[in-house]
Amino acid sequence: MSLFRTPQVVLFTRDVDRASAFYHALGFEEVFRTPLTGTPIHVDFALDCYRIGLATEASTRDDHELDPVAVGQRTAVILWTDDVPAGYERLIGLGARPVKPPEPWLDRLLIAWVEDLDGHLVQVVQSVS
């Protein structure tokens, strides 16, 4: 029996509503929100078996006495697809900042990089062999 289960990553943001709209548009479904009414301080999403959380920088500081960073390339969300060029363009169309256009990697993958609306890296990747 494993001690841990259901891993997820939480990304810090200054605008949970904006970040939520971005990840929802990518196909993530909301599975948790607090508070239930009004402006949320934390929202969790799921896509397949992958969970991602969005938490406000301020609530993390106020509620947990931590010092989160909500800007810059601190982590990467990896999204597998069957069409990297289309995925890359979709992300840019949703407001992501282009970082690296689609390019081959390791002779068996095609990858592209963008930054989401808070500067978190998002990699789109597909197997090409």
Side-chain angles (χ1 to χ4, degrees):
M1 178 179 194
S2 177
L3 178 62
F4 301 107
R5 62 178 166 73
T6 319
Q8 89 177 57
V9 172
V10 173
L11 305 176
F12 301 114
T13 180
R14 292 183 176 147
D15 188 336
V16 170
D17 287 327
R18 180 186 68 160
S20 293
F22 179 82
Y23 283 96
H24 184 262
L26 296 179
F28 283 83
E29 293 187 31
E30 185 175 313
V31 295
F32 173 84
R33 168 182 292 255
T34 191
L36 293 175
T37 59
T39 302
I41 61 171
H42 187 111
V43 179
D44 287 346
F45 289 90
L47 178 64
D48 293 333
C49 294
Y50 184 73
R51 286 180 68 118
I52 189 169
L54 302 168
T56 64
E57 178 182 37
S59 72
T60 303
R61 189 172 289 112
D62 296 344
D63 295 343
H64 304 291
E65 299 176 0
L66 299 174
D67 192 25
V69 177
V71 296
Q73 297 177 346
R74 298 152 324 278
T75 191
V77 174
I78 311 303
L79 300 173
W80 285 84
T81 181
D82 293 325
D83 188 344
V84 164
Y88 179 73
E89 292 303 322
R90 173 78 173 130
L91 289 162
I92 292 168
L94 291 170
R97 187 184 75 76
V99 174
K100 291 185 82 174
E103 63 184 13
W105 189 58
L106 299 177
D107 297 324
R108 63 180 182 265
L109 299 174
L110 182 65
I111 64 171
W113 295 89
V114 300
E115 287 183 346
D116 75 5
L117 306 178
D118 290 298
H120 301 285
L121 285 168
V122 178
Q123 180 192 65
V124 185
V125 61
Q126 83 181 75
S127 179
V128 292
S129 61

mmCIF file of all heavy atoms in Angstrom, residues 91-125:
data_model
loop_
_atom_site.group_PDB
_atom_site.id
_atom_site.type_symbol
_atom_site.label_atom_id
_atom_site.label_comp_id
_atom_site.label_asym_id
_atom_site.label_seq_id
_atom_site.Cartn_x
_atom_site.Cartn_y
_atom_site.Cartn_z
ATOM 1 N N LEU A 91 -3.052 27.276 -27.989
ATOM 2 C CA LEU A 91 -2.558 27.933 -26.778
ATOM 3 C C LEU A 91 -2.316 29.420 -27.025
ATOM 4 O O LEU A 91 -2.707 30.263 -26.218
ATOM 5 C CB LEU A 91 -1.285 27.252 -26.293
ATOM 6 C CG LEU A 91 -1.482 25.868 -25.693
ATOM 7 C CD1 LEU A 91 -0.166 25.107 -25.659
ATOM 8 C CD2 LEU A 91 -2.083 25.971 -24.301
ATOM 9 N N ILE A 92 -1.683 29.745 -28.137
ATOM 10 C CA ILE A 92 -1.416 31.149 -28.471
ATOM 11 C C ILE A 92 -2.731 31.893 -28.669
ATOM 12 O O ILE A 92 -2.893 33.024 -28.211
ATOM 13 C CB ILE A 92 -0.512 31.246 -29.712
ATOM 14 C CG1 ILE A 92 0.888 30.721 -29.352
ATOM 15 C CG2 ILE A 92 -0.437 32.680 -30.230
ATOM 16 C CD1 ILE A 92 1.792 30.496 -30.539
ATOM 17 N N GLY A 93 -3.703 31.242 -29.298
ATOM 18 C CA GLY A 93 -5.014 31.850 -29.488
ATOM 19 C C GLY A 93 -5.733 32.149 -28.182
ATOM 20 O O GLY A 93 -6.569 33.047 -28.112
ATOM 21 N N LEU A 94 -5.389 31.403 -27.133
ATOM 22 C CA LEU A 94 -5.993 31.628 -25.813
ATOM 23 C C LEU A 94 -5.204 32.644 -24.982
ATOM 24 O O LEU A 94 -5.520 32.879 -23.828
ATOM 25 C CB LEU A 94 -6.089 30.305 -25.051
ATOM 26 C CG LEU A 94 -7.088 29.311 -25.619
ATOM 27 C CD1 LEU A 94 -6.926 27.952 -24.962
ATOM 28 C CD2 LEU A 94 -8.509 29.841 -25.444
ATOM 29 N N GLY A 95 -4.164 33.227 -25.575
ATOM 30 C CA GLY A 95 -3.411 34.265 -24.881
ATOM 31 C C GLY A 95 -2.055 33.842 -24.352
ATOM 32 O O GLY A 95 -1.353 34.648 -23.742
ATOM 33 N N ALA A 96 -1.663 32.591 -24.580
ATOM 34 C CA ALA A 96 -0.342 32.149 -24.134
ATOM 35 C C ALA A 96 0.736 32.857 -24.955
ATOM 36 O O ALA A 96 0.530 33.183 -26.124
ATOM 37 C CB ALA A 96 -0.203 30.634 -24.289
ATOM 38 N N ARG A 97 1.897 33.081 -24.324
ATOM 39 C CA ARG A 97 3.015 33.726 -25.007
ATOM 40 C C ARG A 97 3.898 32.661 -25.644
ATOM 41 O O ARG A 97 4.356 31.747 -24.957
ATOM 42 C CB ARG A 97 3.839 34.545 -24.013
ATOM 43 C CG ARG A 97 4.936 35.386 -24.680
ATOM 44 C CD ARG A 97 5.798 36.124 -23.675
ATOM 45 N NE ARG A 97 6.739 35.252 -22.984
ATOM 46 C CZ ARG A 97 7.863 34.760 -23.508
ATOM 47 N NH1 ARG A 97 8.179 35.021 -24.754
ATOM 48 N NH2 ARG A 97 8.665 33.996 -22.784
ATOM 49 N N PRO A 98 4.153 32.775 -26.949
ATOM 50 C CA PRO A 98 5.021 31.799 -27.602
ATOM 51 C C PRO A 98 6.429 31.840 -27.003
ATOM 52 O O PRO A 98 6.959 32.912 -26.747
ATOM 53 C CB PRO A 98 5.061 32.252 -29.063
ATOM 54 C CG PRO A 98 4.016 33.285 -29.219
ATOM 55 C CD PRO A 98 3.671 33.809 -27.861
ATOM 56 N N VAL A 99 7.011 30.669 -26.773
ATOM 57 C CA VAL A 99 8.385 30.576 -26.283
ATOM 58 C C VAL A 99 9.258 29.891 -27.339
ATOM 59 O O VAL A 99 10.278 30.425 -27.738
ATOM 60 C CB VAL A 99 8.455 29.822 -24.932
ATOM 61 C CG1 VAL A 99 9.890 29.591 -24.498
ATOM 62 C CG2 VAL A 99 7.682 30.577 -23.858
ATOM 63 N N LYS A 100 8.850 28.696 -27.786
ATOM 64 C CA LYS A 100 9.573 27.976 -28.837
ATOM 65 C C LYS A 100 8.551 27.290 -29.734
ATOM 66 O O LYS A 100 7.729 26.526 -29.246
ATOM 67 C CB LYS A 100 10.513 26.931 -28.242
ATOM 68 C CG LYS A 100 11.698 27.531 -27.487
ATOM 69 C CD LYS A 100 12.654 26.467 -27.032
ATOM 70 C CE LYS A 100 13.542 26.144 -28.216
ATOM 71 N NZ LYS A 100 14.616 25.216 -27.884
ATOM 72 N N PRO A 101 8.612 27.531 -31.033
ATOM 73 C CA PRO A 101 7.665 26.878 -31.948
ATOM 74 C C PRO A 101 7.947 25.383 -32.045
ATOM 75 O O PRO A 101 8.986 24.902 -31.579
ATOM 76 C CB PRO A 101 7.926 27.586 -33.286
ATOM 77 C CG PRO A 101 9.332 28.079 -33.190
ATOM 78 C CD PRO A 101 9.566 28.392 -31.731
ATOM 79 N N PRO A 102 7.049 24.640 -32.670
ATOM 80 C CA PRO A 102 7.244 23.190 -32.798
ATOM 81 C C PRO A 102 8.594 22.850 -33.427
ATOM 82 O O PRO A 102 9.001 23.466 -34.417
ATOM 83 C CB PRO A 102 6.088 22.757 -33.703
ATOM 84 C CG PRO A 102 5.025 23.775 -33.457
ATOM 85 C CD PRO A 102 5.776 25.070 -33.258
ATOM 86 N N GLU A 103 9.272 21.865 -32.794
ATOM 87 C CA GLU A 103 10.546 21.392 -33.324
ATOM 88 C C GLU A 103 10.763 19.958 -32.882
ATOM 89 O O GLU A 103 10.291 19.538 -31.830
ATOM 90 C CB GLU A 103 11.703 22.277 -32.857
ATOM 91 C CG GLU A 103 11.916 22.287 -31.350
ATOM 92 C CD GLU A 103 13.016 23.252 -30.904
ATOM 93 O OE1 GLU A 103 13.449 24.094 -31.702
ATOM 94 O OE2 GLU A 103 13.426 23.155 -29.740
ATOM 95 N N PRO A 104 11.495 19.178 -33.687
ATOM 96 C CA PRO A 104 11.794 17.796 -33.311
ATOM 97 C C PRO A 104 12.715 17.768 -32.091
ATOM 98 O O PRO A 104 13.540 18.665 -31.900
ATOM 99 C CB PRO A 104 12.518 17.222 -34.531
ATOM 100 C CG PRO A 104 12.383 18.228 -35.613
ATOM 101 C CD PRO A 104 12.031 19.522 -35.004
ATOM 102 N N TRP A 105 12.564 16.702 -31.309
ATOM 103 C CA TRP A 105 13.440 16.492 -30.153
ATOM 104 C C TRP A 105 13.650 14.999 -29.976
ATOM 105 O O TRP A 105 12.694 14.226 -30.048
ATOM 106 C CB TRP A 105 12.831 17.123 -28.893
ATOM 107 C CG TRP A 105 13.765 17.145 -27.732
ATOM 108 C CD1 TRP A 105 14.992 17.733 -27.665
ATOM 109 C CD2 TRP A 105 13.537 16.566 -26.448
ATOM 110 N NE1 TRP A 105 15.549 17.560 -26.422
ATOM 111 C CE2 TRP A 105 14.678 16.832 -25.647
ATOM 112 C CE3 TRP A 105 12.492 15.835 -25.892
ATOM 113 C CZ2 TRP A 105 14.792 16.410 -24.340
ATOM 114 C CZ3 TRP A 105 12.606 15.414 -24.585
ATOM 115 C CH2 TRP A 105 13.744 15.701 -23.814
ATOM 116 N N LEU A 106 14.867 14.586 -29.786
ATOM 117 C CA LEU A 106 15.258 13.191 -29.562
ATOM 118 C C LEU A 106 14.880 12.271 -30.716
ATOM 119 O O LEU A 106 14.734 11.074 -30.537
ATOM 120 C CB LEU A 106 14.644 12.645 -28.262
ATOM 121 C CG LEU A 106 15.021 13.332 -26.968
ATOM 122 C CD1 LEU A 106 14.272 12.698 -25.806
ATOM 123 C CD2 LEU A 106 16.530 13.269 -26.741
ATOM 124 N N ASP A 107 14.685 12.813 -31.886
ATOM 125 C CA ASP A 107 14.342 12.031 -33.081
ATOM 126 C C ASP A 107 13.050 11.231 -32.954
ATOM 127 O O ASP A 107 12.762 10.383 -33.796
ATOM 128 C CB ASP A 107 15.482 11.069 -33.460
ATOM 129 C CG ASP A 107 16.753 11.804 -33.833
ATOM 130 O OD1 ASP A 107 16.642 12.881 -34.443
ATOM 131 O OD2 ASP A 107 17.835 11.293 -33.501
ATOM 132 N N ARG A 108 12.275 11.470 -31.911
ATOM 133 C CA ARG A 108 11.022 10.712 -31.780
ATOM 134 C C ARG A 108 9.865 11.538 -31.215
ATOM 135 O O ARG A 108 8.774 11.034 -31.058
ATOM 136 C CB ARG A 108 11.234 9.465 -30.942
ATOM 137 C CG ARG A 108 11.651 9.701 -29.521
ATOM 138 C CD ARG A 108 11.834 8.366 -28.790
ATOM 139 N NE ARG A 108 12.191 8.572 -27.418
ATOM 140 C CZ ARG A 108 13.432 8.574 -26.939
ATOM 141 N NH1 ARG A 108 14.453 8.375 -27.736
ATOM 142 N NH2 ARG A 108 13.647 8.753 -25.662
ATOM 143 N N LEU A 109 10.152 12.794 -30.909
ATOM 144 C CA LEU A 109 9.109 13.670 -30.370
ATOM 145 C C LEU A 109 9.084 14.979 -31.147
ATOM 146 O O LEU A 109 10.099 15.412 -31.693
ATOM 147 C CB LEU A 109 9.365 13.982 -28.896
ATOM 148 C CG LEU A 109 9.384 12.807 -27.929
ATOM 149 C CD1 LEU A 109 9.803 13.278 -26.543
ATOM 150 C CD2 LEU A 109 8.043 12.102 -27.886
ATOM 151 N N LEU A 110 7.919 15.598 -31.166
ATOM 152 C CA LEU A 110 7.765 16.963 -31.658
ATOM 153 C C LEU A 110 7.264 17.767 -30.469
ATOM 154 O O LEU A 110 6.276 17.371 -29.829
ATOM 155 C CB LEU A 110 6.770 17.014 -32.822
ATOM 156 C CG LEU A 110 6.561 18.385 -33.467
ATOM 157 C CD1 LEU A 110 7.850 18.863 -34.126
ATOM 158 C CD2 LEU A 110 5.437 18.307 -34.498
ATOM 159 N N ILE A 111 7.935 18.866 -30.141
ATOM 160 C CA ILE A 111 7.557 19.654 -28.961
ATOM 161 C C ILE A 111 7.483 21.135 -29.305
ATOM 162 O O ILE A 111 8.112 21.607 -30.252
ATOM 163 C CB ILE A 111 8.538 19.450 -27.782
ATOM 164 C CG1 ILE A 111 9.930 19.956 -28.139
ATOM 165 C CG2 ILE A 111 8.584 17.997 -27.359
ATOM 166 C CD1 ILE A 111 10.899 19.992 -26.964
ATOM 167 N N ALA A 112 6.699 21.857 -28.518
ATOM 168 C CA ALA A 112 6.612 23.310 -28.595
ATOM 169 C C ALA A 112 6.395 23.834 -27.182
ATOM 170 O O ALA A 112 5.895 23.104 -26.311
ATOM 171 C CB ALA A 112 5.457 23.733 -29.497
ATOM 172 N N TRP A 113 6.791 25.068 -26.961
ATOM 173 C CA TRP A 113 6.685 25.679 -25.627
ATOM 174 C C TRP A 113 5.976 27.028 -25.699
ATOM 175 O O TRP A 113 6.212 27.810 -26.624
ATOM 176 C CB TRP A 113 8.073 25.927 -25.047
ATOM 177 C CG TRP A 113 8.875 24.710 -24.763
ATOM 178 C CD1 TRP A 113 9.727 24.063 -25.620
ATOM 179 C CD2 TRP A 113 8.935 23.995 -23.536
ATOM 180 N NE1 TRP A 113 10.296 22.984 -24.989
ATOM 181 C CE2 TRP A 113 9.835 22.925 -23.713
ATOM 182 C CE3 TRP A 113 8.309 24.152 -22.290
ATOM 183 C CZ2 TRP A 113 10.138 22.014 -22.701
ATOM 184 C CZ3 TRP A 113 8.608 23.254 -21.288
ATOM 185 C CH2 TRP A 113 9.508 22.202 -21.490
ATOM 186 N N VAL A 114 5.121 27.278 -24.704
ATOM 187 C CA VAL A 114 4.505 28.587 -24.505
ATOM 188 C C VAL A 114 4.553 28.885 -23.007
ATOM 189 O O VAL A 114 4.876 28.011 -22.200
ATOM 190 C CB VAL A 114 3.029 28.639 -24.999
ATOM 191 C CG1 VAL A 114 2.944 28.328 -26.479
ATOM 192 C CG2 VAL A 114 2.137 27.718 -24.186
ATOM 193 N N GLU A 115 4.218 30.106 -22.653
ATOM 194 C CA GLU A 115 3.972 30.466 -21.251
ATOM 195 C C GLU A 115 2.493 30.746 -21.108
ATOM 196 O O GLU A 115 1.898 31.450 -21.942
ATOM 197 C CB GLU A 115 4.759 31.714 -20.847
ATOM 198 C CG GLU A 115 6.231 31.482 -20.676
ATOM 199 C CD GLU A 115 6.961 32.739 -20.206
ATOM 200 O OE1 GLU A 115 6.383 33.855 -20.260
ATOM 201 O OE2 GLU A 115 8.121 32.621 -19.800
ATOM 202 N N ASP A 116 1.873 30.211 -20.042
ATOM 203 C CA ASP A 116 0.459 30.508 -19.804
ATOM 204 C C ASP A 116 0.328 31.960 -19.361
ATOM 205 O O ASP A 116 1.297 32.727 -19.372
ATOM 206 C CB ASP A 116 -0.173 29.508 -18.827
ATOM 207 C CG ASP A 116 0.223 29.702 -17.370
ATOM 208 O OD1 ASP A 116 0.943 30.679 -17.032
ATOM 209 O OD2 ASP A 116 -0.190 28.870 -16.541
ATOM 210 N N LEU A 117 -0.843 32.365 -18.970
ATOM 211 C CA LEU A 117 -1.112 33.763 -18.656
ATOM 212 C C LEU A 117 -0.360 34.268 -17.431
ATOM 213 O O LEU A 117 -0.238 35.472 -17.233
ATOM 214 C CB LEU A 117 -2.625 33.960 -18.481
ATOM 215 C CG LEU A 117 -3.466 33.471 -19.675
ATOM 216 C CD1 LEU A 117 -4.940 33.657 -19.395
ATOM 217 C CD2 LEU A 117 -3.047 34.139 -20.962
ATOM 218 N N ASP A 118 0.165 33.355 -16.606
ATOM 219 C CA ASP A 118 0.958 33.736 -15.432
ATOM 220 C C ASP A 118 2.442 33.443 -15.613
ATOM 221 O O ASP A 118 3.219 33.541 -14.672
ATOM 222 C CB ASP A 118 0.440 33.003 -14.188
ATOM 223 C CG ASP A 118 -0.920 33.520 -13.755
ATOM 224 O OD1 ASP A 118 -1.004 34.711 -13.404
ATOM 225 O OD2 ASP A 118 -1.883 32.743 -13.797
ATOM 226 N N GLY A 119 2.856 33.053 -16.811
ATOM 227 C CA GLY A 119 4.266 32.785 -17.066
ATOM 228 C C GLY A 119 4.706 31.362 -16.804
ATOM 229 O O GLY A 119 5.889 31.055 -16.919
ATOM 230 N N HIS A 120 3.778 30.449 -16.456
ATOM 231 C CA HIS A 120 4.128 29.042 -16.276
ATOM 232 C C HIS A 120 4.362 28.434 -17.659
ATOM 233 O O HIS A 120 3.587 28.650 -18.586
ATOM 234 C CB HIS A 120 2.996 28.264 -15.594
ATOM 235 C CG HIS A 120 2.624 28.794 -14.258
ATOM 236 N ND1 HIS A 120 3.391 28.606 -13.139
ATOM 237 C CD2 HIS A 120 1.556 29.516 -13.859
ATOM 238 C CE1 HIS A 120 2.818 29.186 -12.111
ATOM 239 N NE2 HIS A 120 1.704 29.746 -12.519
ATOM 240 N N LEU A 121 5.436 27.673 -17.790
ATOM 241 C CA LEU A 121 5.700 27.006 -19.056
ATOM 242 C C LEU A 121 4.661 25.924 -19.322
ATOM 243 O O LEU A 121 4.255 25.203 -18.403
ATOM 244 C CB LEU A 121 7.083 26.364 -19.034
ATOM 245 C CG LEU A 121 8.255 27.317 -19.161
ATOM 246 C CD1 LEU A 121 9.548 26.600 -18.838
ATOM 247 C CD2 LEU A 121 8.303 27.927 -20.548
ATOM 248 N N VAL A 122 4.237 25.829 -20.571
ATOM 249 C CA VAL A 122 3.373 24.748 -21.033
ATOM 250 C C VAL A 122 4.068 24.147 -22.249
ATOM 251 O O VAL A 122 4.398 24.859 -23.189
ATOM 252 C CB VAL A 122 1.966 25.243 -21.410
ATOM 253 C CG1 VAL A 122 1.119 24.099 -21.940
ATOM 254 C CG2 VAL A 122 1.286 25.909 -20.212
ATOM 255 N N GLN A 123 4.321 22.842 -22.186
ATOM 256 C CA GLN A 123 4.930 22.135 -23.312
ATOM 257 C C GLN A 123 3.856 21.282 -23.981
ATOM 258 O O GLN A 123 3.119 20.569 -23.298
ATOM 259 C CB GLN A 123 6.065 21.233 -22.847
ATOM 260 C CG GLN A 123 6.728 20.480 -23.985
ATOM 261 C CD GLN A 123 7.654 19.390 -23.496
ATOM 262 O OE1 GLN A 123 7.195 18.427 -22.882
ATOM 263 N NE2 GLN A 123 8.939 19.555 -23.742
ATOM 264 N N VAL A 124 3.785 21.377 -25.291
ATOM 265 C CA VAL A 124 2.910 20.519 -26.078
ATOM 266 C C VAL A 124 3.821 19.509 -26.763
ATOM 267 O O VAL A 124 4.822 19.884 -27.369
ATOM 268 C CB VAL A 124 2.128 21.338 -27.120
ATOM 269 C CG1 VAL A 124 1.142 20.464 -27.859
ATOM 270 C CG2 VAL A 124 1.411 22.501 -26.463
ATOM 271 N N VAL A 125 3.489 18.226 -26.648
ATOM 272 C CA VAL A 125 4.397 17.185 -27.146
ATOM 273 C C VAL A 125 3.618 16.055 -27.812
ATOM 274 O O VAL A 125 2.505 15.740 -27.409
ATOM 275 C CB VAL A 125 5.285 16.641 -25.978
ATOM 276 C CG1 VAL A 125 4.441 16.027 -24.888
ATOM 277 C CG2 VAL A 125 6.310 15.648 -26.454
#
